Amino acid sequence: MLHNFTFSLLIFLFSAALAAGQTPGTAVKLSYIAGDVVSVADKGIVVNGKTGSVEAVITDKTVFKRVSAESQNFATAAAGILTDISVGDKLTVSGILAADGKSLQARSVYFITKADITAKNEKESEDWQKRGIKGRVTAVNPQTNQISLEISALTGTTKVTLTPKENAKFRRYAPDSIRFDEALDSTLAEVKAGDMVRALGDKSIDGLSFSAEQILAGAFQTVAGTIKSIDVAKNEILIKNLQTNKDVTIVIGDASVLKRFPAEQAEMLARMQAMQALGAGGARPIGQGRPGGGRPPGQEGQTPGAGRGGGRAGGGIDDMLERSPEIKTADLKVGDVIALSSTRTSDTERFKAIKLYAGVEPFLRSAQSGNGGRRGQGGVEGGFSIPGLDGIDFP
């Protein structure tokens, strides 16, 4: 992903200026504007910078450099031309900023095209689908430098020992975010039991160990409840938490994902969960049959019969949910039962939704049935599992 593009490019441009003998604060003071391209014309490019839109005025002396999205090696950026640049591209412009701050006489324009970014991200996403795993941390051993994971699927649960490779990169999801490009640099010491982890690397033949080159961790929780009121203007929902029987405010942000489970799909998945819990339905116990719990490596979380033809590689539950209908806050109503994922914090009265699903009643009924029908004043006693609400996605 390209979250460090702008910062790294600014560092490069600054270093290049020093190498050329240009010292900031002498003779001509250059400014740098970085952001996404809003519009392109023969004589100017409008960039959406941090302080607003700025027009980069093009002259016959402006130098264009195309940076590879794959390598991000700015020192070897190839020569480019104005017509290479389109709306949505990322670029950094150096030049003389006008007194009003609304225009810049462009000396150099370094850019990565939107098409190159998309191609790189798709390649990375495919790699994570093929060589990635997802699980919940059960233990961290700093002495052996290993993480114990529990990987759940509708066919059972597998315990995997994750060992970081030499120079493995650790990152941690930012609060209220599952965006890879917003993740922060991290270390093994920050990984805790209960965290959700995505890792990229190589699985052993038996599927019980994993050598990771990238590890992303985050602390997430799943909350379910019945809607008591909806404030569409504020994008807030008041629910009764079905586990604590207390009122909780759910905040819907710009990046929140809202979906509705199709009724038949929810019923099917809930039955499969119940069958797994009871050991029924012919599901093989973990460790029997194929290595890693009855699924070929890389297919954890797939539903039986799901092939590789639909959606992203794997064709599993995440793909099914991705195709589920999107909804808005206004589409919900009082009395609906919803479930959501959010960052785990000390605040038990207000949560910001990362993902929110309506139509989850079958899963909660299954959880109640598994607990002998105990509800405790209308709540769900014990744990429950809602597919897709484990908090994080592949990058």
Side-chain angles (χ1 to χ4, degrees):
M1 298 293 175
L2 299 173
H3 55 285
N4 286 327
F5 167 70
T6 300
F7 176 76
S8 300
L9 188 50
L10 284 173
I11 293 295
F12 168 72
L13 290 171
F14 181 77
S15 300
L18 292 180
Q22 181 185 52
T23 303
T26 65
V28 177
K29 182 179 179 180
L30 293 181
S31 297
Y32 300 95
I33 303 297
D36 296 337
V37 177
V38 176
S39 65
V40 183
D42 292 340
K43 296 298 183 180
I45 304 171
V46 178
V47 183
N48 187 17
K50 286 186 177 180
T51 58
S53 295
V54 177
E55 182 181 12
V57 180
I58 305 303
T59 71
D60 55 0
K61 295 182 179 180
T62 303
V63 176
F64 295 91
K65 291 287 186 177
R66 182 168 182 165
V67 180
S68 166
E70 195 67 37
S71 67
Q72 297 186 51
N73 188 342
F74 307 123
T76 58
I81 56 178
L82 177 62
T83 54
D84 290 336
I85 300 174
S86 302
V87 173
D89 292 352
K90 292 185 178 295
L91 81 169
T92 295
V93 184
S94 67
I96 309 301
L97 188 65
D100 61 6
K102 295 182 179 181
S103 64
L104 184 83
Q105 201 80 10
R107 289 196 174 187
S108 64
V109 177
Y110 284 77
F111 63 96
I112 297 182
T113 69
K114 183 178 180 180
D116 287 349
I117 293 171
T118 299
K120 181 180 186 294
N121 289 347
E122 287 179 351
K123 182 178 179 181
E124 288 185 348
S125 181
E126 182 178 358
D127 194 28
W128 277 85
Q129 291 291 333
K130 290 180 177 178
R131 301 178 54 237
I133 60 170
K134 174 188 72 175
R136 188 176 300 278
V137 177
T138 58
V140 180
N141 189 330
Q143 284 72 42
T144 62
N145 202 37
Q146 292 179 320
I147 301 171
S148 298
L149 295 180
E150 185 176 79
I151 299 176
S152 298
L154 291 175
T155 52
T157 303
T158 308
K159 296 185 182 300
V160 174
T161 300
L162 183 152
T163 303
K165 295 182 180 181
E166 187 176 0
N167 299 321
K169 295 181 180 179
F170 283 85
R171 296 185 69 78
R172 191 165 188 88
Y173 284 92
D176 301 320
S177 172
I178 55 172
R179 287 176 57 95
F180 182 88
D181 59 357
E182 294 178 352
L184 309 173
D185 289 336
S186 185
T187 63
L188 176 67
E190 290 192 88
V191 181
K192 307 296 182 184
D195 283 355
M196 290 299 301
V197 161
R198 291 277 196 189
L200 177 69
D202 302 307
K203 186 182 294 184
S204 63
I205 294 176
D206 63 7
L208 301 180
S209 60
F210 192 88
S211 297
E213 55 206 48
Q214 291 193 53
I215 301 99
L216 295 94
F220 302 98
Q221 62 185 339
T222 301
V223 179
T226 304
I227 296 178
K228 297 183 67 175
S229 65
I230 302 171
D231 189 328
V232 176
K234 290 185 177 181
N235 248 356
E236 293 184 353
I237 303 169
L238 182 68
I239 68 170
K240 180 179 181 181
N241 189 323
L242 293 179
Q243 286 188 295
T244 65
N245 291 312
K246 295 180 179 180
D247 289 349
V248 173
T249 299
I250 308 302
V251 180
I252 309 300
D254 293 338
S256 300
V257 177
L258 279 65
K259 297 269 189 177
R260 184 181 297 278
F261 266 106
E264 292 184 1
Q265 184 184 92
E267 292 287 356
M268 177 192 71
L269 293 175
R271 284 196 301 270
M272 293 174 67
Q273 281 187 339
M275 290 167 64
Q276 176 193 336
L278 295 173
R284 281 190 287 265
I286 295 301
Q288 296 184 16
R290 295 189 183 95
R295 288 277 176 199
Q299 294 187 23
E300 292 84 357
Q302 281 189 230
T303 53
R308 291 191 176 273
R312 298 174 299 174
I317 293 174
D318 288 342
D319 299 310
M320 295 171 60
L321 296 178
E322 189 173 301
R323 294 190 293 269
S324 296
E326 292 190 3
I327 58 175
K328 299 179 180 179
T329 306
D331 296 323
L332 299 169
K333 62 180 183 296
V334 173
D336 283 350
V337 179
I338 61 173
L340 62 118
S341 62
S342 68
T343 300
R344 191 166 64 240
T345 67
S346 59
D347 191 345
T348 60
E349 297 181 353
R350 189 177 181 87
F351 303 127
K352 185 173 181 179
I354 297 175
K355 295 181 181 179
L356 184 151
Y357 289 128
V360 299
E361 291 90 336
F363 302 104
L364 301 178
R365 287 199 302 268
S366 178
Q368 292 161 8
S369 176
N371 289 319
R374 297 189 301 273
R375 292 188 56 137
Q377 299 181 3
V380 177
E381 184 177 315
F384 59 89
S385 176
I386 309 291
L389 286 184
D390 49 22
I392 55 179
D393 287 325
F394 280 112

